[in-house]
Amino acid sequence: LEAREEALNNNVLLYQTPDFHWVPSTVYNAADMISAIQVMATTGAGELTFFVGEDNKAKNGYVYGLVNVAAFLAQSLQESIHYNACDENSCD
C-alpha cells in the first residue's frame, strides 16, 4: 500500500464537488489510512483487530488481507470519502 500512496490519493480517495468534479479529498489521505490500518492490525480495539492476512494457515493469507482492505475502503468511500465528510453516519 505504501508504494501506491500517490495513486490512492489521486485516483481513489476522491470526493465529488458541487459542480460534479472528482478531486482528491482534503480530509482523507493514503498515509493516514495506512497508519490506521497498521494500528488496528496490531493493537486493535479491545480484543478485535483488523485482519491483514497474518498468521493465516492459508498459503496466500495476504490475499485475504488485501480483500479485507478493499472491502474496508469500499465501505469508507460509500459512507464518507465521496462526500469529503468525517462524521459517522448513524441509521438508528
Side-chain angles (χ1 to χ4, degrees), residues 4-75:
R4 303 282 188 234
E5 276 188 40
E6 185 176 346
L8 285 167
N9 286 328
N10 294 322
N11 300 305
V12 178
L13 301 175
L14 306 175
Y15 76 98
Q16 191 174 35
T17 64
D19 58 350
F20 303 105
H21 291 96
W22 291 94
V23 298
S25 175
T26 58
V27 176
Y28 299 94
N29 64 68
D32 288 347
M33 180 189 77
I34 293 166
S35 176
I37 290 172
Q38 288 171 334
V39 169
M40 288 304 299
T42 56
T43 304
E47 295 181 16
L48 302 175
T49 58
F50 189 91
F51 182 74
V52 292
E54 75 290 349
D55 298 328
N56 190 336
K57 300 199 188 307
K59 271 184 160 180
N60 298 320
Y62 72 93
V63 174
Y64 293 99
L66 288 174
V67 169
N68 201 25
V69 170
F72 168 75
L73 185 56
Q75 181 70 26

